[in-house]
Amino acid sequence: MGDRRVTLEHLRSFVAVAETGGFLEAGRLLHRTQSAVTQSVKRLEEYLRCRLLERGQGQNTALTGDGARLLPEAKDILLRLDQAVRLMQQPELKGHITLGIQPGENTEALQPVIASCMALNKGLRVQVLSEISSRLIEMLEHGLLDVVIVCRNKEEAVPEDTCRHLLRLESMVWAGSRVETFSAADEIPLVVSVETCSNREAAENALKTAGMRYYLSFVSPSWGGVCSAVAAGFGITVLGQSELGDRHVVLTEEHGLPSLPSMRTELRTKSQSPVIRQFCELIKGLPAFQGQA
């Protein structure tokens, strides 16, 4: 059953202090007194036998090494609880939902909500399909998918019977494996996917508009292949901020590359089903999309 000495209130107090930077601010956030929050964090440190926060001058605090290790785990525990409560407060979901996502989309953010949804709704089946956005939109229009999460590099009209919600608006960036500068005389090595997607379209349009020459140095059938090829040094590509990996280096206009449009990540559905609409609300509430649009 685990160690019952560590409670959710202990974790909430710790996370609140870590995110607000002080016990007074955390108390206001949690609607508790400053002393109560202080005691919760103190008890947690005692149970874990380590210091989680460094108390500075005044009300300021900072995470210790142990605190930095615990913070993401504590936030994940609280997030999963909130998701479970939200799911249980809704009528039980039954039926089959087909969800389409773009290959570059962060499946780690979607997996917890889908897994929780299915665990608490035994009659629910969710099938996930990964495809480029243009094909997902086409499949949605033909009734082959119930919900899609697509990426577009410009605002576009949708059919009147399509409900859409902006999940995230982020900058598109040039990504390479190292810092390098290009000139108008250079023939730029471009890494792209086989099929035209928002990223490839944005890259080619930006270079053509700027009058810069390029050649396709690596063409991959998968988005993972594109990211790996860039990291390996085959050339550069265009990624959304959320698609950047640890091995990617961001290149800007200072390196001789043209500016890029923003990337719109949208949730779309044509269904009026209460089950599917409720499922869409769960996706909208994911932390990965909060405060992004």
Side-chain angles (χ1 to χ4, degrees), residues 171-218:
S171 300
M172 300 183 81
V173 297
W174 293 100
S177 62
R178 62 186 181 277
V179 175
E180 52 187 322
T181 301
F182 299 93
S183 69
D186 290 328
E187 192 173 14
I188 296 174
L190 194 62
V191 179
V192 297
S193 59
V194 171
E195 299 185 79
T196 301
C197 62
S198 297
N199 300 62
R200 177 173 178 173
E201 183 181 72
E204 293 187 314
N205 286 346
L207 292 173
K208 289 176 182 177
T209 301
M212 301 181 72
R213 297 183 303 154
Y214 67 92
Y215 69 98
L216 304 183
S217 61
F218 194 103

Side-chain angles (χ1 to χ4, degrees), residues 127-177:
Q127 177 185 0
V128 181
L129 172 70
S130 179
E131 260 291 3
I132 61 173
S133 289
S134 58
R135 187 158 298 157
L136 292 178
I137 293 172
E138 182 179 339
M139 294 177 72
L140 179 69
E141 291 301 315
H142 287 85
L144 300 176
L145 292 171
D146 298 313
V147 183
V148 296
I149 298 176
V150 296
C151 295
R152 315 304 287 161
N153 56 39
K154 58 181 178 293
E155 177 73 64
E156 60 185 13
V158 300
E160 292 185 0
D161 62 344
T162 299
C163 176
R164 71 175 176 182
H165 175 80
L166 180 61
L167 294 173
R168 180 173 56 221
L169 183 63
E170 62 181 333
S171 300
M172 300 183 81
V173 297
W174 293 100
S177 62

